[in-house]
Amino acid sequence: MTSTRLPAVPPQTVAQTAGPPHAQYPERPSAQTGERRSHGERGSRIAGLDALRGFALAGIIFVNAPSILGLSPLLPDGSPNPVSHWLDLFVQQRFFPIFSLLFGVGFGMLWRIAGTRTPRPRLALARRLGVLVLLGAAHQFLQPGEALLPYGLAGLVFLLPATFLPDRRWARVLVPAAGAALLLTALLLTGGGPALIPGLFLLGFAAGEADLARRIESSPRTWWIASLLAVTTAAAGTALLTTTSYTERALWQGFALESALGLVMAAAYVSAFIAVLHSPLRRVLTAAFGPLGRMALTNYVTATLLLVGLRLLPSGLDPAGAGVRDWTLTMVFCGAVLAVQWIWSSLWLMRFRQGPLERMWRMATWWRV
């Protein structure tokens, strides 16, 4: 993934690849859905959060693929490629904010239980982020600009220090305030992109530490609130799209409206997803995206390997003069990768609690099997 079209890491669990990684945490069964939850390393997981992470991961691959394969966004005659234009409207910079926020959420939830797992919880979390830095550094050789390395570094610089705030009540005010300030500063001074990661991390950390995901999962008002937010943010995003050009959104008075639009549309996607999770379609979403989200780190890295493999094969793609056919074939390949990952994730999780890279990450975090 390119540095301006992250994504991130998978997460945490929390990278967008932030994520693409995730955290384990205890949880009460949902009285509202009566649904049996999949089990993590302590207690059970929030199935809706895994599904949302899988949804973000599914968007990330469509961002990363053109960059890894070196596809040009222009047709040979110099006109915009319609497939690339569609991705710019609905995918680029829309999913990496979700993944980044979820990384922070996962880290906050992990911090809540870390003290029960080890007498030195910050050291364990520092190891966790350090391993992510090393994995990301290796991953950079395959995908320059990938998410794991910046996620690990931003976690060490911003998330770990957030755990030192002594008063939890003040922390719940200061951390999100700092996150919002960093987010606004990144938009004003840098144009967004990867600079949004620290602010999104801190906002997610505050939500995770406050156990907001569990509250959203169990609240009977969630459907109405999420639906209202989805309609409002979708309307705001539509207004921005229809009243401005891409150049205006990217450059207007030094303020990156394109990145701001990405945040608005990310909020619309998340709100709509949460609303559907609290509808009769919940089981469909958790079945479709849950396995991907539970193995987000493994799937993020293996997607890169598969895309690099496609680049090395005589596939018939023409990156130098990519046409509609080349972009269409790439999108089909991405869909096939997601389908294969869903199958192997589902089969793997029938026997194991975590994916292979998630298992390694957990062992490094707690320093034991």
Side-chain angles (χ1 to χ4, degrees), residues 67-264:
S67 174
I68 294 174
L69 297 175
L71 297 182
S72 170
L74 301 177
L75 294 173
D77 62 4
S79 60
N81 190 302
V83 180
S84 175
H85 180 64
W86 181 86
L87 290 176
D88 284 338
L89 290 178
F90 299 105
V91 181
Q92 299 286 3
Q93 300 194 54
R94 282 44 168 171
F95 286 90
F96 108 79
I98 303 174
F99 220 92
S100 300
L101 187 74
L102 291 177
F103 190 101
V105 170
F107 192 90
M109 298 182 79
L110 193 60
W111 170 243
R112 285 174 59 88
I113 66 165
T116 67
R117 300 294 306 275
T118 174
R120 305 181 70 183
R122 290 186 183 88
L123 178 60
L125 295 182
R127 278 199 303 266
R128 185 175 184 84
L129 293 169
V131 169
L132 195 62
V133 168
L134 295 176
L135 181 59
H139 195 219
Q140 285 279 334
F141 287 101
L142 296 175
Q143 183 187 342
E146 58 83 55
L148 300 182
L149 180 58
Y151 273 29
L153 294 174
L156 289 170
V157 174
F158 294 96
L159 288 178
L160 199 60
T163 67
F164 285 91
L165 290 173
D167 190 317
R168 175 167 289 184
R169 291 171 298 177
W170 276 106
R172 289 183 178 179
V173 175
L174 294 176
V175 172
L182 286 172
L183 208 58
L184 182 60
T185 301
L187 287 171
L188 291 172
L189 299 183
T190 70
L196 298 176
I197 292 174
L200 291 167
F201 271 16
L202 290 181
L203 290 175
F205 176 82
E209 205 278 334
D211 211 16
L212 186 60
R214 192 185 331 275
R215 297 181 184 183
I216 291 175
E217 186 85 344
S218 60
S219 172
R221 297 189 297 271
T222 293
W223 187 88
W224 297 102
I225 295 173
S227 298
L228 178 62
L229 286 174
V231 172
T232 303
T233 51
T238 301
L240 272 173
L241 277 174
T242 56
T243 59
T244 60
S245 68
Y246 178 84
T247 301
E248 289 171 331
R249 293 194 301 270
L251 301 176
W252 182 72
Q253 294 182 3
F255 184 89
L257 284 182
E258 181 62 27
S259 289
L261 175 63
L263 291 174
V264 171

Side-chain angles (χ1 to χ4, degrees), residues 1-3 5-10 16-17 20 60-61 63-69 135-150 299-305 307-308 311:
M1 137 185 11
T2 64
S3 59
R5 298 186 175 187
L6 282 173
V9 164
Q16 268 241 171
T17 97
I60 292 298
I61 188 174
V63 176
N64 292 345
S67 174
I68 294 174
L69 297 175
L135 181 59
H139 195 219
Q140 285 279 334
F141 287 101
L142 296 175
Q143 183 187 342
E146 58 83 55
L148 300 182
L149 180 58
N299 287 328
Y300 178 74
V301 173
T302 54
T304 298
L305 295 174
L307 287 168
V308 170
R311 185 181 65 191

